[in-house]
Amino acid sequence: MKRANIQDVAKLAGVSPSTVSRALNGFPGISERTRQRVIEAAKKLNYKPNYRGQILTTRSTKNIGLLITDITNPFFPELVRGAEETASEYGYTILLGNTSESIEKETNYLDFFSRGPVDGVIISASRIPNEHIINLAEEGLPIVVINRILEHPKISYVSTDMEKGGYLATKHLIELGHTRIAFINGPSHSEAAERRFLGYKKALAEFKIRYNSNLVSFNVPVAESGHKETIRLLHTKNPPTAIFTYNDLMAFGVMKAVKDLGIRIPDDLSVVGFDDIFFSSFTDPPLTTIRQPKEELGKKAVELLLKLMKEERQGVLLEPEIIIRNTTTRR
Amino acid sequence: MKRANIQDVAKLAGVSPSTVSRALNGFPGISERTRQRVIEAAKKLNYKPNYRGQILTTRSTKNIGLLITDITNPFFPELVRGAEETASEYGYTILLGNTSESIEKETNYLDFFSRGPVDGVIISASRIPNEHIINLAEEGLPIVVINRILEHPKISYVSTDMEKGGYLATKHLIELGHTRIAFINGPSHSEAAERRFLGYKKALAEFKIRYNSNLVSFNVPVAESGHKETIRLLHTKNPPTAIFTYNDLMAFGVMKAVKDLGIRIPDDLSVVGFDDIFFSSFTDPPLTTIRQPKEELGKKAVELLLKLMKEERQGVLLEPEIIIRNTTTRR
DNA sequence: CTGTTAGCGCGTTCAT
DNA sequence: ATGAACGCGCTAACAG
């Protein structure tokens, strides 16, 4: 049994295809009687308007492309959910691209998205160069970037205020009496890492603590890096009394290393993470961290994209928040 | 500057649209010279075939719909990644539907998917009734279900062998000398919960331990349930010496409750989870659990779907594996 | 209020 | 080897 199309319904209801379209899409200027007749015929044939024909004429897919680097990175699921729920409220569906940190896949996805399967794109991936994004935007594809501050008349962005996040973490440690504060940072090519670093230095300067480059390193943002770097730091002649990490995963690595070394947290060493992923409240002890409003980032990105489709461009910065748990204490 | 279409390229290259199509899609029966001319013209105009027109004629979207309940449930990201990577290998893109456990959203997504935006659907969501899935399959939509054993000539499935998982966990505890083994199970309406329960009882029977219904409960599968249920269990007159939970999240809840009560794991109480999510190796102590091959489930589902599109139907069961860490010990 | 016509952008005949 | 004509399924514009 073949799927019924608009013509089949038209024939059965004894009207023309356009009348069927009008009836089913709730347009005015049609008698209630024929509308009912059409609806009945449609139901009888189990008719569903074909998406492929529909998007060709209406020029809208009601889809949004969402590009992320890695869904198994616990930062993303909440972001995706925020985006998905908001999109769904407005009748849109999310088309998810997981790029596995591969710049080639990112490019492929973007080219695919630019060929028409979506009405707009949200990018929360770090490798793709701004120029490429700008090119596509100038070709007419609505684009919103997440956690990247990109000032361009055709592009909107929403980002956590990373600098403020770095500042908050460092200031918290300083106020607890720490002065030797290590920063196990993320990749040096990342804008987020750079901005958090700025905040770190700003807090140091504000409290007149001399910046010491030996306490700062740039790393792949995984737990293992936190582990390795902690062991190195704690074996220097003048080890830090506090460690601030680029993300929570790396803080877990720190905590694991410390446990191996028989050092106690927070008594011997204070630790502050970044992101506040779900599991951070379950560690032992629970992790003090800087919360990114992840769900809000996804939600806001969708809203900005919808606005951008109506030519309203905007850039917004979201506030991070320090979540004080039990990995930090007075020196 | 408007986006170029096939006609623009044809005009610039001085040929007809059909020749452009042939040239760009690598068809034979065209002179190398004109092919080059077309390719050049296309490049000059930055031509990309329009997806919306393309799918209408080719009748293939190269998209796969993937329906899951909640991306923030740590079980799903790895599954999604497995699916995404495999799909991408075959030139397909994943269209993700996150249903937030809402049956209405599941239905909406499925109806949407059945209208043509995808070539097939993978369902890893528990609320939707089998009948609805069967209806869509019989209308011609290729469907693969995950973790649901659905025998139907038009539907393929891939599932972890849940019964074996429940059996493995229980047997492990029995062999450590435990006889009062509680099972904090998931929702009673879930097929997965039911099958794990079967395995639990099978192990008990095999070792001639009397089944005690007071030690079994059905719960919403979140950490909080594990917490609450543990407190209840430990306050009974004859408390269990071991607890098996429906998933790792619930095991975390158990561990938290136990810590609050001043009881030690594994010395006073053994705990086994289910899933082996990423964080389970980071808990204190690291969690003993039953591993589901999550990435493999996603990968296999895509492969099955591709086969199903060629009319090859199949059902496959994947082996769970017990991961023994430090929350279980001899009684 | 309703039907006819045209066109979205492509791939695919069928001629030549 | 190439071009003309057609159709995928739908909605929008125009007539009546």
Side-chain angles (χ1 to χ4, degrees):
Chain A
M1 181 183 115
K2 243 193 94 243
R3 173 79 106 265
N5 65 20
I6 200 168
Q7 311 235 34
D8 300 326
V9 179
K11 205 171 296 174
L12 181 61
V15 296
S16 77
S18 41
T19 299
V20 174
S21 173
R22 278 190 283 253
L24 264 29
N25 292 322
F27 278 79
I30 181 172
S31 81
E32 206 41 47
R33 257 194 53 233
T34 49
R35 183 182 305 255
Q36 286 310 325
R37 205 143 37 93
V38 169
I39 290 178
E40 221 165 283
K43 185 174 289 178
K44 199 161 176 181
L45 295 176
N46 188 24
Y47 169 72
K48 300 172 198 163
N50 180 299
Y51 175 82
R52 303 178 192 185
Q54 216 169 28
I55 65 173
L56 193 57
T57 34
T58 61
R59 339 215 81 216
S60 164
T61 62
K62 290 285 188 174
N63 285 162
I64 292 173
L66 172 55
L67 213 55
I68 63 176
T69 52
D70 182 8
I71 190 67
T72 65
N73 175 340
F75 169 77
F76 285 110
E78 289 183 53
L79 187 153
V80 171
R81 184 167 69 175
E84 209 282 338
E85 285 191 346
T86 310
S88 160
E89 272 171 35
Y90 289 96
Y92 281 77
T93 300
I94 294 287
L95 220 157
L96 182 75
N98 193 73
T99 66
S100 311
E101 305 271 1
S102 140
I103 187 153
E104 190 199 335
K105 274 185 107 177
E106 283 187 22
T107 312
N108 284 348
Y109 266 118
L110 273 183
D111 283 350
F112 169 63
F113 284 154
S114 78
R115 291 196 310 123
V118 298
D119 296 343
V121 176
I122 297 171
I123 300 177
S124 184
S126 54
R127 313 289 268 248
I128 198 109
N130 281 351
E131 297 78 54
H132 193 171
I133 297 178
I134 291 172
N135 277 347
L136 290 177
E138 288 179 344
E139 283 175 19
L141 184 67
I143 301 182
V144 172
V145 294
I146 291 181
N147 279 354
R148 182 188 303 221
I149 298 180
L150 181 42
E151 299 287 0
H152 183 281
K154 295 249 159 215
I155 298 171
S156 289
Y157 68 81
V158 52
S159 172
T160 302
D161 188 337
M162 300 293 180
E163 184 175 337
K164 179 149 184 197
Y167 173 82
L168 250 31
T170 313
K171 181 173 170 230
H172 170 61
L173 290 168
I174 294 173
E175 288 176 343
L176 288 174
H178 295 276
T179 55
R180 292 191 62 77
I181 302 169
F183 182 20
I184 303 183
N185 202 355
S188 55
H189 64 73
S190 138
E191 184 183 315
E194 212 174 292
R195 290 191 193 272
R196 289 173 207 189
F197 189 30
L198 247 39
Y200 168 81
K201 287 192 288 195
K202 185 178 160 199
L204 253 35
E206 188 174 314
F207 288 89
K208 312 237 184 300
I209 297 176
R210 197 174 53 78
Y211 165 67
N212 178 348
S213 69
N214 293 326
L215 292 174
V216 176
S217 62
F218 294 88
N219 311 270
V220 184
V222 296
E224 180 54 24
S225 303
H227 191 272
K228 230 180 51 192
E229 192 53 21
T230 300
I231 291 178
R232 192 190 67 74
L233 282 165
L234 295 183
H235 281 91
T236 55
K237 43 196 159 277
N238 216 343
T241 62
I243 295 181
F244 169 40
T245 62
Y246 175 75
N247 67 20
D248 287 353
L249 243 32
M250 292 166 88
F252 297 165
V254 172
M255 291 170 77
K256 200 165 177 209
V258 161
K259 207 164 279 172
D260 293 351
L261 263 42
I263 293 173
R264 287 163 315 161
I265 289 180
D267 311 87
D268 302 330
L269 183 76
S270 284
V271 179
V272 180
F274 205 106
D275 284 351
D276 191 29
I277 62 180
F278 172 76
F279 193 65
S280 298
S281 61
F282 280 95
T283 54
D284 179 39
L287 181 68
T288 294
T289 187
I290 304 295
R291 192 176 108 74
Q292 282 204 63
K294 298 172 284 298
E295 200 153 340
E296 181 73 15
L297 282 170
K299 177 189 171 65
K300 198 73 196 173
V302 169
E303 290 172 353
L304 286 175
L305 187 60
L306 264 24
K307 272 194 193 161
L308 196 58
M309 292 175 191
K310 295 181 285 184
E311 315 280 289
E312 292 177 47
R313 187 261 168 195
Q314 199 180 340
V316 354
L317 234 42
L318 260 31
E319 290 289 304
E321 184 189 352
I322 183 160
I323 307 290
I324 300 177
R325 297 204 183 89
N326 307 324
T327 54
T328 48
T329 194
R330 186 156 292 283
R331 168 106 178 86
Chain B
M1 181 183 115
K2 243 192 96 248
R3 175 77 109 267
N5 65 19
I6 201 169
Q7 311 234 35
D8 301 326
V9 179
K11 204 172 297 172
L12 181 62
V15 296
S16 76
S18 40
T19 300
V20 173
S21 173
R22 278 190 282 254
L24 264 29
N25 292 321
F27 277 81
I30 181 174
S31 82
E32 205 41 49
R33 257 195 52 233
T34 48
R35 183 183 303 258
Q36 285 310 325
R37 204 144 37 93
V38 169
I39 290 177
E40 220 164 286
K43 185 173 290 176
K44 199 161 176 178
L45 294 176
N46 188 27
Y47 168 73
K48 300 172 199 164
N50 180 299
Y51 175 83
R52 303 177 193 186
Q54 214 169 31
I55 64 172
L56 193 57
T57 38
T58 62
R59 341 215 81 218
S60 163
T61 60
K62 290 286 188 173
N63 285 163
I64 292 172
L66 173 55
L67 213 55
I68 62 176
T69 52
D70 181 7
I71 189 67
T72 65
N73 174 340
F75 169 78
F76 285 110
E78 288 182 53
L79 187 153
V80 171
R81 184 166 70 174
E84 210 282 338
E85 285 190 346
T86 310
S88 158
E89 271 170 35
Y90 289 96
Y92 281 77
T93 300
I94 294 286
L95 220 157
L96 182 76
N98 193 73
T99 66
S100 311
E101 305 271 0
S102 140
I103 187 154
E104 191 200 335
K105 275 185 105 178
E106 282 187 22
T107 311
N108 284 348
Y109 267 118
L110 272 183
D111 283 351
F112 170 63
F113 284 155
S114 78
R115 289 183 29 223
V118 299
D119 297 343
V121 176
I122 296 171
I123 300 178
S124 183
S126 53
R127 313 291 268 249
I128 199 107
N130 281 351
E131 297 79 54
H132 192 169
I133 297 179
I134 291 171
N135 277 346
L136 289 176
E138 289 179 344
E139 283 176 19
L141 183 66
I143 300 183
V144 172
V145 294
I146 291 181
N147 278 355
R148 181 186 306 220
I149 297 180
L150 181 42
E151 300 287 0
H152 184 281
K154 295 250 159 214
I155 297 171
S156 289
Y157 68 81
V158 53
S159 171
T160 302
D161 188 336
M162 300 295 180
E163 183 174 338
K164 177 147 185 197
Y167 173 80
L168 251 29
T170 312
K171 181 174 171 226
H172 169 62
L173 290 168
I174 294 174
E175 289 178 341
L176 288 174
H178 296 275
T179 54
R180 292 191 61 76
I181 302 170
F183 182 19
I184 304 184
N185 202 355
S188 56
H189 63 74
S190 138
E191 183 183 316
E194 211 174 293
R195 290 189 193 272
R196 290 173 207 187
F197 189 30
L198 246 40
Y200 167 82
K201 287 192 288 193
K202 185 178 162 200
L204 252 35
E206 188 175 314
F207 288 88
K208 312 234 183 303
I209 297 175
R210 197 176 52 80
Y211 165 66
N212 177 349
S213 69
N214 293 325
L215 292 174
V216 176
S217 62
F218 294 88
N219 309 270
V220 184
V222 297
E224 180 54 23
S225 303
H227 190 272
K228 229 181 50 193
E229 192 51 23
T230 300
I231 291 178
R232 190 190 68 74
L233 282 166
L234 295 183
H235 281 91
T236 55
K237 44 196 158 280
N238 215 345
T241 62
I243 295 181
F244 169 39
T245 61
Y246 175 75
N247 67 20
D248 287 354
L249 243 31
M250 292 166 88
F252 297 166
V254 172
M255 291 170 78
K256 200 166 176 207
V258 161
K259 208 164 279 171
D260 293 350
L261 263 42
I263 293 173
R264 286 163 317 160
I265 290 181
D267 311 86
D268 303 330
L269 184 76
S270 285
V271 179
V272 180
F274 204 108
D275 284 352
D276 191 30
I277 63 180
F278 175 75
F279 291 124
S280 299
S281 61
F282 280 95
T283 53
D284 179 39
L287 182 68
T288 294
T289 186
I290 304 296
R291 192 177 109 74
Q292 281 203 64
K294 299 172 283 298
E295 200 154 340
E296 182 73 14
L297 282 170
K299 176 188 172 66
K300 198 75 197 172
V302 170
E303 290 171 351
L304 287 176
L305 187 60
L306 264 24
K307 271 194 193 161
L308 196 58
M309 292 176 192
K310 294 181 285 184
E311 315 280 291
E312 292 177 46
R313 186 263 169 195
Q314 198 181 341
V316 354
L317 234 40
L318 261 30
E319 290 289 304
E321 185 189 352
I322 183 160
I323 307 291
I324 299 177
R325 298 204 182 91
N326 309 323
T327 54
T328 47
T329 194
R330 187 156 291 285
R331 168 109 178 83

